[in-house]
Amino acid sequence: KKNEEFDKLENPQTNEHTNIVLETINAFLNYTTPCYLLVGVADCGCCVGIENEINNSKRNIPNLRTYEETIFNLVSSTMGVVAASNIKLDFINISPDDSKKINYPNACKLDKPYLKFYKDLHRLEINKTVTIALITTYPSKTPVFFTPLTQELDKKYMAKKLFFTRAGSSDRNNDFEETVQQIKNRYPDYL
């Protein structure tokens, strides 16, 4: 924010957002029941859609078919082909009428600066249909490890292979001993 105006920051792609989505998919694959991840839905529950992500992507994603291929390719390259066979991707169109019928978990706060960019997609002022992606994961029969995409600006990943699990409503990458114990508990025939 500068002089009461918002400037768009032009940063090189760091893959941070993509890695966070892939961490969640990895944790879901290592869980015991099918799990669901909605892409294009804000934390407050507002359906923002994936159109901005598709239009502004540096990955050259011109349509939903390419978006689907990109998701499966990312999962295959970071977790393996078997992991990619345990996910399903559906697209859901949310019309302005649909948006009014959704029971939102939290009240949307328009006073937060970052939401002002998405006012036209906000549930109270929505005026167009948006698309959200529903990723369904099915439990893997073997542990699924995750190799993060390269990040130039963020060196938070030291290991080459990570094992994410669910801890409440968040993903967790445990230390080596905890990971081995989790694998023993969840996949007793693996070790």
Side-chain angles (χ1 to χ4, degrees):
K1 186 173 181 183
K2 183 178 180 182
N3 299 329
E4 299 300 318
E5 294 180 2
F6 294 95
D7 294 331
K8 183 177 179 182
L9 299 177
E10 296 293 338
N11 290 330
Q13 185 175 357
T14 62
N15 293 317
E16 182 176 3
H17 175 72
T18 305
N19 277 330
I20 291 169
V21 171
L22 292 169
E23 286 171 12
T24 302
I25 291 171
N26 183 257
F28 284 174
L29 289 168
N30 288 317
Y31 199 57
T32 56
T33 60
C35 298
Y36 308 95
L37 175 64
L38 291 171
V39 181
V41 178
D43 290 343
C44 61
C46 296
C47 297
V48 178
I50 59 174
E51 285 79 9
N52 285 340
E53 183 180 350
I54 289 174
N55 295 334
N56 298 324
S57 174
K58 294 184 179 178
R59 296 185 197 281
N60 190 21
I61 302 174
N63 53 45
L64 294 179
R65 177 73 178 133
T66 307
Y67 185 91
E68 181 178 25
E69 289 172 357
T70 302
I71 296 288
F72 280 95
N73 288 336
L74 286 168
V75 172
S76 293
S77 65
T78 60
M79 292 174 245
V81 178
V82 174
S85 69
N86 284 348
I87 67 170
K88 178 183 168 201
L89 178 61
D90 295 299
F91 296 106
I92 303 167
N93 291 325
I94 305 293
S95 71
D97 289 337
D98 295 332
S99 187
K100 292 174 188 169
K101 298 174 189 171
I102 295 173
N103 184 14
Y104 294 93
N106 301 312
C108 294
K109 295 178 175 65
L110 279 174
D111 57 338
K112 292 196 176 184
Y114 63 89
L115 287 177
K116 291 182 181 175
F117 289 119
Y118 303 108
K119 246 183 170 177
D120 62 321
L121 294 173
H122 191 273
R123 69 180 175 96
L124 297 176
E125 299 180 9
I126 191 164
N127 59 8
K128 57 181 149 180
T129 297
V130 296
T131 304
I132 60 173
L134 170 62
I135 300 172
T136 306
T137 64
Y138 300 95
S140 176
K141 294 181 180 175
T142 59
V144 179
F145 296 92
F146 169 58
T147 304
L149 297 170
T150 306
Q151 293 194 44
E152 296 293 325
L153 303 176
D154 185 358
K155 305 292 183 193
K156 82 176 188 177
Y157 300 110
M158 299 299 288
K160 294 198 187 265
K161 296 269 186 191
L162 303 172
F163 181 79
F164 282 90
T165 55
R166 294 299 283 171
S169 62
S170 60
D171 307 322
R172 182 172 174 194
N173 179 27
N174 302 312
D175 62 30
F176 180 75
E177 290 81 14
E178 287 176 314
T179 299
V180 170
Q181 191 58 47
Q182 285 179 339
I183 291 172
K184 281 182 181 178
N185 291 343
R186 170 80 172 85
Y187 310 99
D189 297 332
Y190 184 74
L191 296 176

